[in-house]
């Protein structure tokens, strides 16, 4: 499996992706907002885009669909309940469905509600597994839920799906918010040495140079995976004094996401 991460450099700090079969050169475009860059990169690589997947319906993920389809004839894939929120969907997918790219690439669809109610992540079961997480999971952070989402469902997605994936799974997120997310982690866990070291390493870099982390690394520096840490909970209670005496993991997750909304 060949992966091309495309840094758009726009105000929303989007990443777009091409996933290609090394044998056939067929490629899947994931959230190709910057259609021009995606088409150019595919041409340089000698790939032909035959499919396009939108992880969810927000315009900063679907805005390049029309141009990519016009240039390539790619089939549009999206959540089976996305309905009219994404135009001209050719294939609706749900949990457990497989997207095949060429002869060698198979991506499993995960139904991952939270950021929106109809959100798909893609999981590649390769020697080095990979997760294309859209706006569900970010490097050192979690998606927001204030544009058609649900924080309790996002917690459930983290708890029942993402946290159980292999630690060596590489994370390919929909945006580069790494620096701000690490700063938020450190506002909650000032003594998190992993977050401190990574923040120092990426200071001054733009999204094009940001590292690709693994889920094991995320569990070390992403506060949304560290809900049982006593120091995190004690610090959280300073900002959320009505937090339960013995809060559940969901209580902690929701409180953190609420703080991140206004941080």
């Amino acid at each position: 499996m060949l992966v091309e991460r495309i840094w758009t450099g726009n105000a929303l700090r989007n990443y777009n992706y091409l996933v290609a079969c090394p044998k056939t050169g067929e490629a899947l475009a994931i959230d190709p907002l910057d259609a021009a860059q995606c088409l150019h990169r595919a041409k340089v690589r000698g790939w032909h885009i035959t499919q396009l997947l939108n992880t969810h319906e927000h315009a900063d993920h679907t805005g390049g669909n029309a141009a990519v389809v016009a240039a390539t004839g790619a089939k549009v894939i999206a959540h089976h309940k996305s309905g009219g929120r994404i135009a001209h969907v050719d294939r609706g997918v749900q949990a457990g469905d497989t997207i095949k790219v060429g002869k060698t690439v198979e991506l499993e669809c995960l139904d991952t509600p939270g950021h929106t109610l109809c959100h798909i992540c893609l999981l590649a079961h390769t020697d080095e597994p990979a997760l294309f997480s859209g706006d569900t999971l970010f490097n050192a952070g979690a998606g927001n839920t204030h544009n058609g989402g649900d924080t309790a469902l996002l917690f459930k997605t983290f708890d029942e799906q993402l946290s159980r994936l292999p630690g060596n799974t590489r994370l390919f997120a929909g945006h580069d918010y790494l620096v701000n997310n690490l700063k938020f982690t450190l506002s909650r866990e000032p003594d998190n040495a992993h977050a401190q070291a990574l923040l120092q390493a990426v200071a001054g870099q733009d999204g094009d140079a940001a590292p690709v982390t693994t889920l094991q690394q995320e569990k070390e520096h992403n506060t949304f995976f560290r809900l049982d840490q006593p120091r995190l909970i004690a610090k959280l209670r300073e900002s959320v004094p009505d937090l339960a005496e013995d809060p559940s993991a969901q209580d902690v997750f929701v409180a953190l996401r609420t703080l991140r909304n206004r941080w």
Side-chain angles (χ1 to χ4, degrees):
M1 180 179 76
L2 304 174
V3 178
E4 188 83 359
R5 185 181 71 173
I6 298 170
W7 165 241
T8 65
N10 66 357
L12 295 175
R13 305 184 66 82
N14 288 77
Y15 284 126
N16 301 168
Y17 295 96
L18 300 176
V19 178
C21 170
K23 287 190 176 181
T24 67
E26 293 176 60
L28 168 74
I30 301 175
D31 293 334
L33 173 64
D34 192 329
Q37 275 210 69
C38 290
L39 293 168
H40 173 71
R41 202 72 66 91
K43 182 178 180 180
V44 168
R45 293 290 191 183
W47 301 341
H48 48 286
I49 298 171
T50 58
Q51 300 174 89
L52 179 166
L53 176 114
N54 294 132
T55 57
H56 62 292
E57 69 268 22
H58 290 160
D60 62 313
H61 292 256
T62 65
N65 284 14
V68 171
V69 170
T72 66
K75 301 298 184 183
V76 177
I77 306 169
H79 192 286
H80 70 113
K81 292 184 178 179
S82 58
R85 292 186 293 272
I86 299 176
H88 308 301
V89 173
D90 297 293
R91 179 187 176 193
V93 291
Q94 54 189 312
D97 286 349
T98 298
I99 297 173
K100 296 182 179 181
V101 184
K103 294 182 178 179
T104 63
V105 179
E106 292 191 1
L107 302 168
E108 179 187 355
C109 297
L110 307 181
D111 193 339
T112 52
H115 176 66
T116 68
L117 301 186
C118 297
H119 193 295
I120 293 290
C121 291
L122 293 179
L123 179 63
H125 296 283
T126 54
D127 290 340
E128 286 185 286
L131 180 71
F132 298 89
S133 62
D135 285 6
T136 296
L137 170 63
F138 295 127
N139 302 99
N144 67 56
T145 60
H146 47 251
N147 289 303
D150 183 295
T151 306
L153 284 176
L154 185 63
F155 165 74
K156 187 176 181 181
T157 290
F158 268 63
D159 184 55
E160 297 183 1
Q161 297 192 67
L162 304 184
S163 67
R164 303 180 186 186
L165 296 177
N168 65 336
T169 303
R170 295 168 294 160
L171 175 60
F172 295 102
H175 297 263
D176 170 44
Y177 299 146
L178 178 58
V179 169
N180 279 346
N181 285 339
L182 287 169
K183 289 179 179 178
F184 177 74
T185 289
L186 290 170
S187 77
R188 301 293 95 212
E189 298 183 77
D191 58 350
N192 186 314
H194 297 284
Q196 291 171 350
L198 184 54
L199 181 59
Q200 183 176 4
V202 301
Q205 296 180 352
D206 65 18
D208 200 34
V212 175
T213 63
T214 66
L215 288 189
Q216 179 56 46
Q217 290 172 314
E218 290 299 315
K219 291 176 181 179
E220 295 168 347
H221 63 237
N222 186 331
T223 195
F224 289 94
F225 278 122
R226 300 171 52 77
L227 307 176
D228 61 349
Q229 298 297 305
R231 292 186 180 182
L232 183 153
I233 294 170
K235 182 73 172 174
L236 184 60
R237 189 166 278 111
E238 296 175 8
S239 302
V240 188
D242 60 348
L243 190 68
E245 182 64 27
D246 185 19
S248 67
Q250 180 171 321
D251 291 337
V252 176
F253 186 97
V254 171
L256 286 171
R257 186 57 256 183
T258 301
L259 289 176
R260 183 65 177 88
N261 288 343
R262 58 177 184 261
W263 188 82

